[in-house]
């Protein structure tokens, strides 16, 4: 039924309510984008551990504010009982294989294009506990806060607005774009798709958080192997 | 208008349990059609007003769909120019292969979004707009001068895409109000 038989008013007005909440999500995306750009590409912030902590702190705070704003819709995806061992193991096997392949691909591309390899963790080598900082900033922080954002509130609202398939595609696209590296889109889009698929299939954010952590950890292990043992 | 009156206002073939406008079945107590909102038991003026509104909505829908098609075409144009620029910088004088690969990846994305806009116009054009603005701003952070280069073309593209997003939303709303049209897609 579309219209009330008594007064003629349309009763299931197209998803205008959901759309009203969609625009703040765009604000989230561009706030995130500006913080990353200011840290990475502007002269306002030099690349240092303190500035990285500051920039990541801002992004994490903005993400948490949005999680609180949308908490009532997000609560079900945090339930731990939705995390099943066998699907998680399958996903992790896929991600470890993907991370190994991406590691060789990125090294190959870097050698080919720049005649050198860029290491994300070089910045930490001048500080005490480089392993601790690397795990914190390369594995843990992105795994938690990127997943809260992209497979959390962004996924939830795009799914409400459209369909699960669209939510998987849109969030993987936004996840890829926010890394601000066009070449990296080649592996970030499939990665985002895998996290989105598990988020949809098991209605849980934990697959993404654990998978993202493990994926980044494998990349990190290869970096450390090449930096310290080669 | 006379044709419309003959079609809808007298009971031209529609039974008591069928809507005179969309011919879906109704109960005798229904004052308005549950499927299209037609004032089944309303006065002739109310019925005529309803039909006029449906006609106006169809005109608006045609206009909105035209703007959506323009926005989709804009995505193809951006894809073409991005790929072309990539090839020029990669194979031309600069020989910047990384920039060429990056541009080709983004061009493929625009192309895919353009194709997707036929199925999901609102989301696809919105994603295209986000992608376009993100990389303009990223370039501006890397090289501030690029913000002013081709600013008129960039503005025209942004206007076309914004019009496409707004029109896709408008088209979805109108389609949801017109039961004879397809169900809305986002």
């Amino acid at each position: 039924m579309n219209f009330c038989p008594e007064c003629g008013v349309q009763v299931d007005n197209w998803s205008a309510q959901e759309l009203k909440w969609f625009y703040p999500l765009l604000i989230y995306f561009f706030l995130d984008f500006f913080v990353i750009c200011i840290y990475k590409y502007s002269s306002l912030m030099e690349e240092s551990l303190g500035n990285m902590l500051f920039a990541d702190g801002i992004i994490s705070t903005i993400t948490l504010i949005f999680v609180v704003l949308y908490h009532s819709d997000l609560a079900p995806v945090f339930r731990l009982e939705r995390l099943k061992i066998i699907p998680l193991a399958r996903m992790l096997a896929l991600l470890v294989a993907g991370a190994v392949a991406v590691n060789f691909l990125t090294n190959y591309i870097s050698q080919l294009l720049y005649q050198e390899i860029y290491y994300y963790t070089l910045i930490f080598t001048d500080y005490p506990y480089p392993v601790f900082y690397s795990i914190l900033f390369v594995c843990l922080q992105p795994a938690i806060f990127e997943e809260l954002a992209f497979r959390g509130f962004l996924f939830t609202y795009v799914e409400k607005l459209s369909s699960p398939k669209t939510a998987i595609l849109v969030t993987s696209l936004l996840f890829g774009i926010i890394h601000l590296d066009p070449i990296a889109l080649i592996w970030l889009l499939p990665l985002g798709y895998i996290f989105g698929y598990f988020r949809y299939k098991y209605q849980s954010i934990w697959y993404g958080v654990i998978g993202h952590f493990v994926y980044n950890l494998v990349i990190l292990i290869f970096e450390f192997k090449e930096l310290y043992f080669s | 208008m006379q044709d419309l009156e003959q079609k809808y206002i007298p009971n031209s073939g529609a039974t008591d349990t069928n809507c005179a406008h969309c011919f879906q079945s109704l109960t005798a107590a229904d004052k308005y059609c549950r499927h299209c909102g037609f004032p089944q038991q309303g006065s002739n003026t109310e019925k005529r007003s309803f039909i006029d509104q449906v006609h106006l909505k169809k005109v608006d829908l045609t206009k909105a769909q035209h703007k959506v098609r323009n926005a989709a075409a804009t995505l193809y144009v951006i894809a073409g120019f991005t790929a072309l620029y990539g090839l020029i910088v990669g194979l031309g004088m600069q020989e910047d292969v990384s920039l060429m690969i990056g541009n080709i990846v983004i061009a493929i994305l625009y192309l895919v979004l353009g194709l997707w806009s036929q199925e999901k116009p609102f989301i696809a054009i919105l994603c295209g707009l986000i992608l376009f603005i993100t990389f303009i701003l990223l370039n501006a952070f890397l090289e501030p001068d690029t913000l002013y280069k081709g600013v008129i073309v960039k503005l025209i593209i942004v206007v076309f895409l914004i019009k496409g997003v707004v029109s896709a939303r408008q088209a979805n709303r109108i389609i949801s109000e017109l039961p004879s049209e397809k169900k809305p897609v986002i």
Side-chain angles (χ1 to χ4, degrees):
Chain A
M1 186 174 74
N2 292 322
F3 296 85
C4 171
E6 282 297 311
C7 62
V9 171
Q10 194 176 14
V11 286
D12 57 347
N13 196 4
W14 179 71
S15 52
Q17 288 303 313
E18 284 83 2
L19 203 59
K20 189 178 74 179
W21 287 99
F22 191 65
Y23 292 110
L25 300 176
L26 286 181
I27 295 171
Y28 169 80
F29 178 84
F30 282 107
L31 274 176
D32 230 18
F33 167 79
F34 276 110
V35 175
I36 295 167
C37 278
I38 289 168
Y39 170 66
K40 273 189 169 177
Y41 304 118
S42 81
S43 53
L44 292 170
M45 291 175 96
E46 294 289 313
E47 197 176 48
S48 70
L49 185 63
N51 284 340
M52 183 183 267
L53 187 67
F54 183 68
D56 278 351
I58 291 176
I59 291 170
S60 305
T61 308
I62 296 169
T63 307
L64 285 177
I65 289 169
F66 273 79
V67 170
V68 171
L69 279 175
Y70 296 97
H71 72 280
S72 57
D73 290 303
L74 282 178
V77 298
F78 288 116
R79 285 185 197 146
L80 272 170
E81 64 265 24
R82 292 182 177 178
L83 190 62
K84 310 280 180 216
I85 296 297
I86 293 172
L88 180 68
R90 280 186 193 144
M91 185 190 72
L92 292 181
L94 183 67
L95 289 172
V96 170
V100 173
V102 166
N103 179 68
F104 285 112
L105 181 69
T106 49
N107 284 358
Y108 176 75
I109 292 174
S110 299
Q111 289 283 10
L112 189 75
L113 301 179
Y114 312 111
Q115 286 78 47
E116 60 177 4
I117 297 171
Y118 175 78
Y119 295 105
Y120 295 100
T121 51
L122 267 180
I123 186 178
F124 305 117
T125 51
D126 296 336
Y127 296 91
Y129 316 115
V131 175
F132 169 75
Y133 287 124
S134 299
I135 291 175
L136 185 68
F137 288 111
V138 178
C139 303
L140 198 62
Q141 195 273 345
I144 294 173
F145 291 97
E146 285 180 10
E147 291 309 309
L148 277 175
F150 292 98
R151 257 61 64 181
F153 48 84
L154 281 166
F155 190 100
T156 303
Y157 276 89
V158 179
E159 189 182 24
K160 270 192 174 191
L161 188 68
S162 187
S163 65
K165 188 183 158 194
T166 305
I168 294 171
L169 292 172
V170 169
T171 51
S172 58
L173 178 70
L174 295 179
F175 173 72
I177 298 172
I178 203 71
H179 286 79
L180 307 179
D181 183 352
I183 297 176
L185 284 169
I186 296 167
W187 53 88
L188 287 173
L189 291 178
L191 188 66
Y193 190 91
I194 293 169
F195 294 148
Y197 173 78
F198 277 86
R199 158 68 177 78
Y200 156 66
K201 187 157 186 196
Y202 298 99
Q203 292 297 307
S204 169
I205 200 170
W206 297 112
Y207 291 90
V209 173
I210 297 169
H212 201 146
F213 178 85
V214 169
Y215 177 88
N216 286 3
L217 187 67
V218 173
I219 301 281
L220 193 70
I221 289 168
F222 272 100
E223 274 208 23
F224 276 123
K225 182 183 152 288
E226 284 155 23
L227 270 175
Y228 299 108
F229 301 105
S230 290
Chain B
M1 186 54 73
Q2 207 170 10
D3 289 346
L4 288 173
E5 282 185 18
Q6 279 173 357
K7 187 176 175 187
Y8 295 109
I9 294 166
N11 250 346
S12 60
T15 66
D16 287 345
T17 52
N18 283 88
C19 169
H21 180 246
C22 69
F23 304 110
Q24 296 279 339
S25 60
L26 301 174
T27 65
D30 288 348
K31 291 177 183 166
Y32 292 86
C33 172
R34 292 161 187 265
H35 307 281
C36 68
F38 182 72
Q40 185 77 2
Q41 295 178 21
S43 64
N44 282 357
T45 315
E46 283 176 324
K47 289 177 181 176
R48 195 177 297 124
S49 163
F50 176 86
I51 292 154
D52 288 345
Q53 280 178 17
V54 168
H55 180 69
L56 284 174
K57 280 177 186 171
K58 284 186 175 173
V59 172
D60 287 344
L61 180 62
T62 309
K63 285 181 188 168
Q65 285 172 332
H66 179 70
K67 285 179 188 169
V68 170
R69 278 195 294 275
N70 282 345
T74 308
L75 289 174
Y76 293 128
V77 171
I78 308 170
F81 276 106
T82 309
L84 189 67
Y85 178 73
L87 290 172
I88 290 169
V89 295
L91 306 174
M93 285 171 70
Q94 291 183 35
E95 291 188 354
D96 191 338
V97 181
S98 64
L99 194 57
M100 181 180 78
I101 297 171
N103 271 274
I104 288 172
V105 170
I106 295 172
I108 292 169
L109 266 184
Y110 281 124
L111 190 67
V112 171
L113 288 172
L115 293 168
W116 198 32
S117 70
Q118 290 169 15
E119 195 189 333
K120 304 264 181 185
F122 177 77
I123 286 283
I125 299 168
L126 183 63
C127 286
L129 180 64
I130 292 171
L131 186 65
F132 189 71
I133 291 175
T134 303
F135 281 99
I136 285 179
L137 294 175
L138 179 63
N139 283 333
F141 267 100
L142 293 168
E143 289 177 53
D145 290 348
T146 60
L147 195 60
Y148 310 107
K149 282 181 186 168
V151 69
I152 294 170
V153 176
K154 285 174 188 166
L155 276 176
I156 290 170
I157 289 170
V158 168
V159 167
F160 266 86
L161 292 177
I162 289 175
K163 275 187 176 180
V165 171
V166 173
S167 301
R169 191 186 167 190
Q170 191 190 4
N172 278 330
R173 200 189 65 243
I174 296 170
I175 288 169
S176 76
E177 292 166 3
L178 292 173
S180 57
E181 304 295 327
K182 281 187 200 168
K183 280 280 158 199
V185 284
I186 300 178

